[in-house]
Amino acid sequence: MKKILISAAAVALIAGFFLSANTVKTVVSENMGKHYYETGQYQKAVSVFNKLADTEPENPEVYAGRGYSFQGLGNYPLAIEDFTKAIALNPDYAWAYENHANCYYNQQMYRESIADYDKLIELDPQSSFAYSRRAFSYNELEDYQAAIESFNKAIELDPENEEAYANRADSYYNLEDYAAAISDCGEAISLDTGYGWAYEVRGNSYYELEEYDKAISDFSKALSLDELSSAIRDDTILISVMYANNEIGTIQQISEIGEIAKERGVLFHTDAVQAVGHLPVDVRKQNIDLLALSGHKVYAPKGVGALYVSHKIVDLPPFMHGGGQERKKRAGTENVAGIVGLGEALSLLTAELSEETKRTLQIRDRIIDGILAAVPHTFLNGSRTSRLPGNVNISFEYIEGESLLLMLDAKGIMASSGSACTSGSLEPSHVLLAIGLPHEKAHGSLRVSVGRYNTLEDAESLIRELPPIVSRLRDMSPLYQDFLSK
C-alpha cells in the first residue's frame, strides 16, 4: 500500500479551497434570502435564514435578515429577538437598530424604540431620519415637547423633511398651539402638495380656531396622487375613482390619475355621472378606460345611462345573457327613445358647455357669497375652486337640516341635506363625516343644485328667504341657546 504524502502548503491550499467554497455558499444563500424578503416572499426568506443560522451562528447579518423577514410577516416578537441577537454580535449594526426600533414601535414599546434611535443617533449624529423617528415615539408617549425638540433637530439636518414638519405640526396641535401647527403644515404642503396627513392636521387646527371654511377646504382636498400611486400593487387590475362628488362637488384629478394608471398598466374606471355634460371630459386625452354616466343628470329621459368601454378591453363578460343586443354585453330590448334622448341631450349640453358653465358659476358663487355673508355661523363644505359649477353645500350650526328643508319647501325652494341616494336616512351625510365634520355640524347641512333653468333672481330669492328661517330655527334650538349663554 503506497503512502500519499501531502505537504503542509497543500493542506493549507485545500483547506482554503473548502473555506472559500463555504464562504461563497453563505454569500449566495444570504443574497437569496435578501431577494426573497425584498420581493415580499418573507416565509421563503425565513427558511433560507433558518438554514444559515445553523451553519453561521455568529453571523449578525443572518439574524438581521431573518428578523427583517419576520417583521414583514408581522411577527414582531420573533423579529425583535433576531435583531437583538444581531446587535449583540455587532453593537454598531445601524440597520439592525433601525428595524429593531421599528418593531418596538409596532408593538407599542415606545421607550425601547427611543433607546434604539438614541443608539442610531450616536452612530450617525447627522441622521435626520433617526431624529424624526424618535420623535414619533415621543408623540405616542404624549411627550410632545420632547417630540418637538427631536423634530427640530431633524429639520435642522434636513430642511426638506416634509414628514418632520407635518408630524411636528401634530405635536403642536396636541399642545393646542394651532398657529404653529398650521405654519408647519404649510411647510410640509409646500414640499409635497399631495401630503394628505398635513392637510388633515391643518384642517383640524383651523377647526379648533373655528375657521371652518379653511378647515373644510383642507379636509376635502382631492385624492393624493402619491397615496394612489403607492397603493397600486403588482396584482392591482383596476383603479375606480368618482370624477366629482355628488354632495360637496369636489372634482378629482382625473387626467393625472389616468396618466398614473397608464404608466402602471392598470385599467382606469370613473363614475362621471356628476361630471358629464357639466365639465369637459375626453376619455382618450384623460386615459379613461371605463366611464359611467346617467341621463337624469343631463336633462335626458330618466332610466337611461351608458358605460363607455375602451377598445383595450376585449374580454368584458356580458352583464345580462340572452339576446345579442349591445354587442352581446347587455341582452334585452333596447330603450331606443331613451338612448336617442340621451345622445341629443349630451349634444346640446356639449355645444353650450362653455357659456352655460360661466352662467352657472355666476349663480353658484352668488349663492355661496350671499349666504355666508347673511347668516352667521355657517361654512362652505368642499373646495371653493375645485368644485362642480352647479354645487353648493353649506353647513348651518345649531340647527337640523331637515327642518330647514321643510321651511324652504314652504317658500317654494327645493333643496336637500345630502344625496338623493340617502334621502330616507336620518343619519348625517357620510361624506361630511368623512371630511371631518362632527355629527352635530353634519346634520345642519344644506345642498343646493344650480341648473340651466335657474337664474340670478332665484339666487337672490334664496338669499332673502334663508336668514329669517335659520334665525327662527335657532331660536328654538337648545344648542344655540347654550352657545349664546357661553
Side-chain angles (χ1 to χ4, degrees):
M1 183 175 180
K2 296 181 179 179
K3 292 183 179 179
I4 300 176
L5 300 177
I6 302 177
S7 68
V11 170
L13 181 63
I14 294 169
F17 170 79
F18 283 113
L19 182 61
S20 176
N22 285 333
T23 301
V24 169
K25 184 178 179 181
T26 299
V27 170
V28 169
S29 296
E30 279 184 26
N31 288 336
M32 184 181 296
K34 289 178 182 177
H35 167 75
Y36 281 140
Y37 70 60
E38 286 173 355
T39 55
Q41 301 178 73
Y42 300 116
Q43 197 57 61
K44 288 184 177 179
V46 169
S47 297
V48 170
F49 287 118
N50 281 343
K51 293 176 181 177
L52 280 171
D54 291 336
T55 57
E56 298 281 333
E58 301 300 315
N59 187 341
E61 292 190 8
V62 170
Y63 294 109
R66 189 170 66 181
Y68 190 83
S69 305
F70 279 131
Q71 184 180 192
L73 291 169
N75 192 335
Y76 299 114
L78 285 181
I80 289 170
E81 186 179 317
D82 269 345
F83 285 126
T84 302
K85 290 178 181 176
I87 290 167
L89 290 167
N90 181 1
D92 295 330
Y93 196 170
W95 190 68
Y97 280 111
E98 178 185 326
N99 287 283
H100 202 218
N102 188 53
C103 291
Y104 278 136
Y105 184 90
N106 282 298
Q107 288 290 96
Q108 299 181 3
M109 300 169 70
Y110 303 119
R111 296 195 185 282
E112 290 81 355
S113 176
I114 288 169
D116 276 342
Y117 284 121
D118 283 342
K119 182 62 180 181
L120 265 180
I121 291 166
E122 181 186 320
L123 293 171
D124 182 6
Q126 301 303 308
S127 174
S128 174
F129 169 84
Y131 282 106
S132 186
R133 293 290 165 160
R134 183 178 69 177
F136 287 177
S137 294
Y138 279 128
N139 260 348
E140 294 294 341
L141 291 171
E142 299 183 5
D143 189 347
Y144 301 118
Q145 196 56 54
I148 288 169
E149 290 171 7
S150 200
F151 281 130
N152 287 346
K153 189 64 178 179
I155 292 167
E156 178 188 325
L157 292 168
D158 180 7
E160 296 188 357
N161 186 340
E162 69 272 14
E163 186 179 59
Y165 280 113
N167 286 279
R168 186 174 69 177
D170 188 46
S171 302
Y172 281 128
Y173 174 83
N174 283 293
L175 290 174
E176 300 183 10
D177 188 345
Y178 304 122
I182 290 168
S183 176
D184 266 356
C185 287
E187 293 287 347
I189 291 167
S190 70
L191 293 166
D192 180 0
T193 56
Y195 200 164
W197 172 240
Y199 284 113
E200 182 177 338
V201 175
R202 190 171 70 176
N204 286 331
S205 301
Y206 279 131
Y207 182 86
E208 294 295 339
L209 294 172
E210 298 186 3
E211 296 185 47
Y212 298 120
D213 54 340
K214 293 179 181 178
I216 296 304
S217 177
D218 274 347
F219 288 143
S220 58
K221 286 297 179 186
L223 174 68
S224 166
L225 298 180
D226 287 341
E227 289 181 29
L228 172 67
S229 185
S230 63
I232 298 173
R233 307 184 316 198
D234 292 339
D235 58 349
T236 300
I237 61 171
L238 179 72
I239 296 170
S240 183
V241 175
M242 200 176 201
Y243 202 118
N245 187 265
N246 56 316
E247 291 194 36
I248 61 174
T250 303
I251 302 168
Q252 298 293 350
Q253 303 171 76
I254 296 299
S255 297
E256 290 83 353
I257 295 169
E259 189 62 34
I260 290 172
K262 181 181 177 182
E263 289 175 358
R264 302 290 291 274
V266 178
L267 294 176
F268 177 35
H269 164 265
T270 183
D271 172 355
V273 168
Q274 297 289 330
V276 170
H278 307 287
L279 298 172
V281 177
D282 189 319
V283 293
R284 290 187 177 88
K285 287 183 179 179
Q286 294 174 293
N287 296 300
I288 297 170
D289 300 304
L290 298 143
L291 180 145
L293 60 96
S294 180
H296 75 289
K297 293 294 182 182
V298 292
Y299 306 96
K302 293 182 179 180
V304 64
L307 174 68
Y308 162 78
V309 182
S310 167
H311 65 87
K312 294 191 299 184
I313 304 173
V314 296
D315 57 349
L316 189 71
F319 169 69
M320 191 179 294
H321 294 275
Q325 293 92 344
E326 303 286 354
R327 300 182 182 179
K328 298 183 179 180
K329 299 301 181 187
R330 196 277 187 195
T333 303
E334 295 162 325
N335 177 7
V336 177
I339 293 169
V340 172
L342 175 59
E344 183 63 16
L346 287 172
S347 296
L348 293 171
L349 283 175
T350 302
E352 302 169 3
L353 183 60
S354 179
E355 287 302 313
E356 181 60 22
T357 298
K358 291 178 184 177
R359 192 191 71 83
T360 306
L361 283 171
Q362 185 182 18
I363 299 170
R364 183 201 74 181
D365 291 345
R366 176 63 190 128
I367 292 173
I368 293 171
D369 292 338
I371 292 176
L372 296 180
V375 184
H377 309 298
T378 58
F379 52 90
L380 180 69
N381 294 313
S383 169
R384 183 63 191 257
T385 53
S386 184
R387 184 185 203 97
L388 285 169
N391 178 278
V392 177
N393 192 307
I394 293 175
S395 279
F396 299 80
E397 295 190 77
Y398 313 115
I399 64 173
E400 288 283 339
E402 290 298 323
S403 302
L404 185 60
L405 295 182
L406 290 171
M407 297 182 79
L408 284 172
D409 186 60
K411 298 289 185 179
I413 298 170
M414 291 174 285
S416 67
S417 60
S419 71
C421 311
T422 58
S423 58
S425 173
L426 296 177
E427 290 298 311
S429 160
H430 70 279
V431 174
L432 298 182
L433 295 178
I435 64 172
L437 283 189
H439 277 66
E440 65 273 14
K441 297 186 188 300
H443 264 302
S445 67
L446 176 72
R447 186 184 73 155
V448 178
S449 297
V450 179
R452 65 189 290 109
Y453 301 116
N454 290 119
T455 64
L456 276 172
E457 288 73 21
D458 293 331
E460 297 301 335
S461 175
L462 174 60
I463 294 166
R464 183 175 59 253
E465 298 289 353
L466 193 59
I469 292 175
V470 174
S471 179
R472 181 181 172 188
L473 290 171
R474 282 177 175 167
D475 286 343
M476 297 184 289
S477 167
L479 289 174
Y480 188 61
Q481 300 308 315
D482 184 56
F483 166 74
L484 291 178
S485 69
K486 293 178 181 178

